[in-house]
Amino acid sequence: MSKRRAATHPCLVVCPPGLESVVSDELADLGIRTLRSSKGAVSADMTTRQLYAANVFLRCATRILVRVAGFTVRTFADLERRIAEVDWDDWIGAGDSPRFRVTSRNSELWHDGAVTQRFEAALGTPVEGAREQLVVVRAVNDRFTVSVDSSGAPLHERGWRQAIAKAPLRESVAAGLLVAAGWDPTTPLVDPMCGSGTIAIEAALLAGGVAPAAGRELAFRFWPGFEPGTWASVAVEIQKRRTDAGDPPPIMAVDRDAGAVDSARANAERAGVADLIEWRTAPIAELARPDGTDGRPGLLVANPPWGGRLAGGDLRNLYATLGRVASEGFAGWSLGVLVADRTLARQVRPGLTEALQLELGGRQAWYLTGRLR
Ligand SMILES: C[S@@+](CC[C@H](N)C(=O)[O-])C[C@H]1O[C@@H](n2cnc3c(N)ncnc32)[C@H](O)[C@@H]1O
């Protein structure tokens, strides 16, 4: 980015709906103050270094957009003039292919396709095989906001999850569950219904100080205005966090389905943390504490089935068994349960606190937490 540019970039951090407060806390840890929060997004001004660091270190975000222009227009002629005024050379490389995602609401220029066409006429159409640079255009009440995506592939696609069991959580949501339960990554963690292992793997990466997007081809690295020196200082921090991480705590992932445990372990191997996790195949009724806790309490976090083949009494029994096993074997531990039905959560344990209200795959979900006394 050129010297002419302001010291900070106006950014929008997109995240799964319900994780806004968690993302704000993550930003605060990076020294970035949240300006506003709306459903599925948090806005903040970031320096170039903060933008790079946020892409690399945020665990709960989907992508970070940088606003490059904002204007009010009601005619295509004015739109074309405004498009021509933007300093695109900072953001789109010569061989790169811009892809425009346009949404217009309540505006004179209401036709998304016609607006896209004006951008493509100025900057080119997507070229097969070329690297894509996403440009997001939003018009609301004739006010246009034009942003470039600094992330590339969604940040929750960490790359290690290829084997998928039933109803997997996004990696960003799994990380959010750990943070929202206040998990201290030096303490034990148990996921008794691990499926493809997302929660336990995210926990092991967090405990190991591994930056979730280290080694990824983040979009900003291909911008003509990319600052290698600034990036080098973020790269040093990536390494420092790894070396500063203490010994990993006991982390255990259990599922009654041996196939799920196999796929979870294969994912963990790709993530480089398979040896840090204790794997067990067992039903919830047989859940026991992991090895090596030395009596230290930790977090028991469960993402039980929401229905599927189980229904009515069977589902109630499953949730009640989880509650019984948790009280009998995990006194002093924290508990986190992700549910789609709050009355079922009462089967687990009455009096849990609503830590997060999420929207997962278009469905409402609640994350309830509490302490097992
Ligand atoms: C919603 S999935 C978990 C998904 C997981 N969080 C992920 O990201 O892949 C629920 C899991 O609970 C497991 N399960 C169902 N009943 C169980 C029981 N009685 N004991 C242990 N695991 C059970 C299923 O095999 C399934 O893998």
Side-chain angles (χ1 to χ4, degrees):
M1 278 141 268
S2 59
K3 295 273 182 313
R4 280 172 286 125
R5 196 158 288 283
T8 58
H9 311 282
C11 297
L12 190 74
V13 184
V14 181
C15 65
L19 284 186
E20 301 84 1
S21 61
V22 180
V23 168
S24 284
D25 290 348
E26 286 195 287
L27 287 169
D29 285 346
L30 294 171
I32 304 165
R33 196 166 58 86
T34 295
L35 297 175
R36 269 178 309 281
S37 176
S38 54
K39 186 178 169 189
V42 169
S43 64
D45 287 340
M46 299 186 204
T47 63
T48 301
R49 190 187 186 285
Q50 287 173 333
L51 174 65
Y52 294 177
N55 266 291
V56 170
F57 294 120
L58 290 183
R59 291 182 190 274
C60 302
T62 308
R63 64 175 68 257
I64 305 177
L65 304 174
V66 179
R67 196 174 74 224
V68 298
F71 44 77
T72 300
V73 291
R74 295 185 180 82
T75 66
F76 282 116
D78 283 343
L79 176 63
E80 285 162 13
R81 188 171 51 75
R82 290 298 204 156
I83 294 171
E85 282 169 9
V86 178
D87 242 340
W88 294 105
D89 291 349
D90 277 348
W91 314 100
I92 302 176
D96 291 347
S97 165
R99 180 167 61 86
F100 300 97
R101 186 188 289 167
V102 176
T103 46
S104 174
R105 262 200 301 127
N106 206 22
S107 299
E108 287 289 324
L109 304 182
W110 55 269
H111 195 285
D112 298 349
V115 172
T116 305
Q117 198 207 5
R118 294 323 192 269
F119 277 88
E120 288 183 347
L123 295 155
T125 48
V127 176
E128 185 126 4
R131 207 192 66 80
E132 266 188 6
Q133 172 59 58
L134 175 66
V135 179
V136 177
V137 181
R138 286 202 181 104
V140 180
N141 299 330
D142 301 318
R143 177 80 196 156
F144 278 66
T145 309
V146 182
S147 308
V148 292
D149 168 39
S150 66
S151 307
L155 293 171
H156 60 82
E157 290 175 12
R158 319 269 203 242
W160 46 259
R161 198 172 66 188
Q162 288 166 26
I164 290 181
K166 275 167 256 159
L169 290 176
R170 272 190 191 182
E171 295 86 328
S172 50
V173 174
L177 301 186
L178 297 170
V179 177
W183 182 55
D184 167 353
T186 64
T187 62
L189 181 116
V190 172
D191 178 355
M193 301 185 196
C194 72
S196 40
T198 324
I199 298 173
I201 296 169
E202 280 295 315
L205 292 168
L206 178 60
V210 178
R216 292 267 305 269
E217 292 209 329
L218 296 160
F220 66 78
R221 297 197 58 178
F222 300 90
W223 289 346
F226 173 63
E227 296 176 7
T230 307
W231 172 244
S233 103
V234 176
V236 168
E237 192 181 336
I238 293 175
Q239 211 41 53
K240 186 173 174 336
R241 287 188 182 213
R242 285 214 73 160
T243 40
D244 287 354
D247 288 338
I251 296 175
M252 185 170 84
V254 190
D255 203 288
R256 70 164 178 197
D257 177 351
V261 176
D262 285 347
S263 59
R265 198 199 293 259
N267 287 330
E269 260 155 31
R270 271 184 290 274
V273 295
D275 295 341
L276 304 181
I277 300 171
E278 184 186 338
W279 305 96
R280 288 189 194 165
T281 304
I284 184 75
E286 290 168 22
L287 185 71
R289 290 188 188 209
D291 296 332
T293 58
D294 302 325
R296 272 183 304 159
L299 171 67
L300 177 65
V301 56
N303 169 208
W306 289 353
R309 272 178 296 161
L310 289 182
D314 287 345
L315 210 49
R316 276 197 299 280
N317 278 341
L318 177 66
Y319 281 63
T321 308
L322 169 62
R324 180 177 56 73
V325 169
S327 326
E328 287 172 5
F330 291 81
W333 284 51
S334 300
L335 172 69
V337 198
L338 184 66
V339 297
D341 176 345
R342 280 181 291 182
T343 55
L344 267 177
R346 265 181 241 127
Q347 299 286 327
V348 178
R349 200 180 171 77
L352 293 174
T353 310
E354 208 173 286
L356 297 173
Q357 187 174 341
L358 298 151
E359 217 178 271
L360 303 176
R363 201 165 159 190
Q364 283 231 302
W366 289 267
Y367 183 53
L368 304 164
T369 57
R371 181 59 68 92
L372 296 159
R373 301 209 184 272

